[in-house]
Amino acid sequence: MDNILTIDVEDWFHILDIPSLPPLKTWVKLESRVVSNTIFILDLLDKYKTKGTFFVLGWVAEHFPDLVREIEKRGHEIGSHGYSHELIYNLTPDRFRRDVSLSLEHLSRITSRPILGYRAPGFSIVPETLYALDILVELGFYYDASIFPMKRNHGGFPGFSEAENWMTTPRGNRILEIPVTPINWLGKKIYLFGGGYFRLAPYLLIEQAITYLNARGKPALVYLHPREFDVNHPRLTMSLARSFTTYVNLKQTRSKFEHAIAQFRFSSIETIWNLFSSDSYLIAS
Ligand SMILES: [Zn+2]
């Protein structure tokens, strides 16, 4: 079966919730590595004939439109990761709407197909920000991939039920929800397929967990960032704990990822859910 491959396309300085985060107006002056790191991932995916969903930050689309064209040209799905990489629960509903609209403006100018999916920075759709789903429906999104159904540093929705993919929003709209995929282990939910979790877990465990999910008819959802493939990217100052989860085992990302895509099938969300040929998408558009 197909597992779900997602990449959040942002640069090395798009780290959430740290005092040393450079302000948005200074981003253009920083050395950017997002293009080369993303091309590296695209080449790896070509090698294994694998497609994925790339949630591109609007700021990246604005400054590197050719990168977005390249991702689309190579057959991947483009989604939105917002414009300025802010946690939703730090925004008002109006600022959230403006942020996502701006990302759509930049992405839609570049892509030839409509943008169907959104992922929040830091998986920040939590019980208090469910209103964001109504705003996504209002802006024309068909699905959301921003729920992390367990505790984490920021974001996290521990009580979320993964049994159903269709969610009813607070205002009664319906939206397809693609949460990350934890597994139950010794009575606890654990997640192994993205970011620091992926870099920390031994590959053998990741392999067993994907096999376990697939045997039960469930896809594993992988999420990674271009910077995680780049051992030499500049580091930001942060607490020891954050520094550990942000930078641990960067050397292993490539080999583990390559193992995973060689061993298991992965695809984009639009392919797995058949979004471009479904009747319901035609209604949503
Ligand atoms: Zn992000």
Side-chain angles (χ1 to χ4, degrees), residues 18-116:
I18 52 166
S20 63
L21 175 75
L24 190 146
K25 59 179 186 298
T26 67
W27 291 354
V28 283
K29 296 183 196 144
L30 299 172
E31 175 201 358
S32 175
R33 300 168 77 106
V34 69
V35 173
S36 54
N37 291 335
T38 306
I39 297 289
F40 178 85
I41 297 172
L42 292 174
D43 290 345
L44 211 49
L45 295 179
D46 282 353
K47 183 173 164 190
Y48 292 95
K49 299 186 171 40
T50 297
K51 305 290 183 224
T53 297
F54 286 67
F55 293 105
V56 181
L57 196 64
W59 183 88
V60 170
E62 179 185 16
H63 291 87
F64 305 102
D66 284 345
L67 177 64
V68 182
R69 283 186 197 102
E70 186 65 23
I71 298 169
E72 191 180 45
K73 198 175 100 189
R74 298 212 203 178
H76 304 285
E77 178 189 9
I78 307 283
S80 164
H81 193 38
Y83 178 83
S84 56
H85 209 250
E86 295 198 62
L87 292 160
I88 298 180
Y89 49 76
N90 289 342
L91 301 174
T92 61
D94 274 349
R95 277 189 62 200
F96 172 70
R97 185 183 286 103
R98 282 203 299 275
D99 184 85
V100 181
S101 299
L102 188 55
S103 85
L104 276 180
E105 248 174 62
H106 288 294
L107 288 170
S108 310
R109 221 175 275 151
I110 306 165
T111 57
S112 60
R113 296 197 299 175
I115 305 293
L116 304 183

Side-chain angles (χ1 to χ4, degrees), residues 4-8 119 123 148 152 180 191 193-198 221-225 228:
I4 305 167
L5 175 61
T6 67
I7 305 287
D8 294 353
R119 166 163 299 143
F123 295 96
F148 196 97
R152 71 193 306 266
V180 308
Y191 175 68
F193 315 120
Y197 309 90
F198 182 84
L221 181 146
V222 164
Y223 78 86
L224 286 165
H225 306 85
E228 293 182 273

Side-chain angles (χ1 to χ4, degrees), residues 3 10 15 20 51 57 100 113 127 131 141 163 192 210 219 281:
N3 294 287
E10 58 192 49
I15 306 285
S20 63
K51 305 290 183 224
L57 196 64
V100 181
R113 296 197 299 175
Y131 65 80
F141 285 95
L192 303 167
I210 297 178
Y281 168 63

